[in-house]
Amino acid sequence: IKFSWNYQYRSYNLLLKKEPSVRDILDSVNEPEKYSEIVFCGYGESTYRLKEMKELSQLLNRNGAKRLRMNTIGLGNLIHGRNIAPDLAEFLDCVSISLNTADPEQWVKLHRPAPEFREKGFESVLSFIRECAKVVPDTIVTAVKQPGVDVTKIQDLVSKLGAQIRFRPYLEDYQDR
């Protein structure tokens, strides 16, 4: 969606005009207790806004949120220069990390990380998964079942890291893009 479909999905433009503030987000989530889950997700790395995510989580929990999850590509430790898993465990119920491959070179091709993350990114993501699995009981690694990706190797790797695996379908095309 991000690269091939120019942020267009099922007639929706998913590109935000600006980064929403904590207040913007709170104003858009009316009655958080009505939702089974609230997810921090985007087309960048969610952990860039760790401070805001923590603040939002505390406010949402006070207002009845049932479950909070973050979707990430797992570069938070590199971004912050430290293990952030204990921070996440304080305010999230689930961490979902998109890995998509067990091969470091293929990871670079699939994820297209910024240049500063290409060399150490894959190993950092594996470390992030391992650390999250220690402190966030619901740590899930996702991978898209796509051509050229060895799902058995991914499943074995994720098992060794102590996390759960969830495979997602490969989206070739949607008629309502």
Side-chain angles (χ1 to χ4, degrees):
I1 294 170
K2 181 178 180 179
F3 299 111
S4 301
W5 300 345
N6 197 29
Y7 297 94
Q8 301 297 313
Y9 182 73
R10 295 190 176 182
S11 304
Y12 291 99
N13 181 343
L14 302 178
L15 190 61
L16 298 176
K17 291 179 174 56
K18 68 177 185 90
E19 285 289 322
S21 68
V22 169
R23 176 56 35 212
D24 292 336
I25 295 168
L26 284 175
D27 288 347
S28 71
V29 182
N30 297 320
E31 303 175 67
E33 73 280 359
K34 289 174 31 179
Y35 304 102
S36 61
E37 183 175 57
I38 296 173
V39 181
F40 297 100
C41 182
Y43 282 112
E45 171 53 56
S46 301
T47 60
Y48 274 114
R49 298 187 71 189
L50 187 62
K51 182 180 142 224
E52 291 88 346
M53 198 178 344
K54 182 176 183 174
E55 182 181 350
L56 278 164
S57 294
Q58 291 168 338
L59 292 167
L60 289 166
N61 278 326
R62 272 190 241 142
N63 288 303
K66 293 177 183 143
R67 179 176 159 90
L68 300 174
R69 172 173 50 119
M70 175 187 68
N71 290 356
T72 176
I73 56 171
L75 294 172
N77 290 350
L78 270 181
I79 290 166
H80 294 280
R82 63 183 178 82
N83 177 15
I84 64 166
D87 300 36
L88 299 173
E90 290 178 19
F91 59 88
L92 292 175
D93 300 300
C94 178
V95 175
S96 179
I97 305 134
S98 178
L99 183 61
N100 293 316
T101 181
D103 178 82
E105 291 171 12
Q106 190 175 45
W107 180 84
V108 170
K109 289 177 187 170
L110 293 174
H111 285 269
R112 303 180 194 178
E116 63 269 24
F117 302 128
R118 288 190 182 135
E119 184 181 333
K120 296 180 180 177
F122 183 77
E123 288 303 319
S124 182
V125 173
L126 299 184
S127 174
F128 180 76
I129 294 167
R130 191 178 300 107
E131 294 303 320
C132 283
K134 290 177 187 175
V135 295
V136 181
D138 202 359
T139 297
I140 301 166
V141 173
T142 65
V144 175
K145 284 187 172 182
Q146 56 189 303
V149 171
D150 188 330
V151 295
T152 302
K153 283 186 180 177
I154 296 171
Q155 199 160 12
D156 291 345
L157 175 60
V158 171
S159 178
K160 289 175 186 168
L161 296 171
Q164 304 166 54
I165 184 72
R166 183 174 63 83
F167 289 102
R168 299 176 311 184
Y170 179 64
L171 304 177
E172 287 189 54
D173 198 13
Y174 271 93
Q175 56 276 26
D176 296 324
R177 291 192 286 138

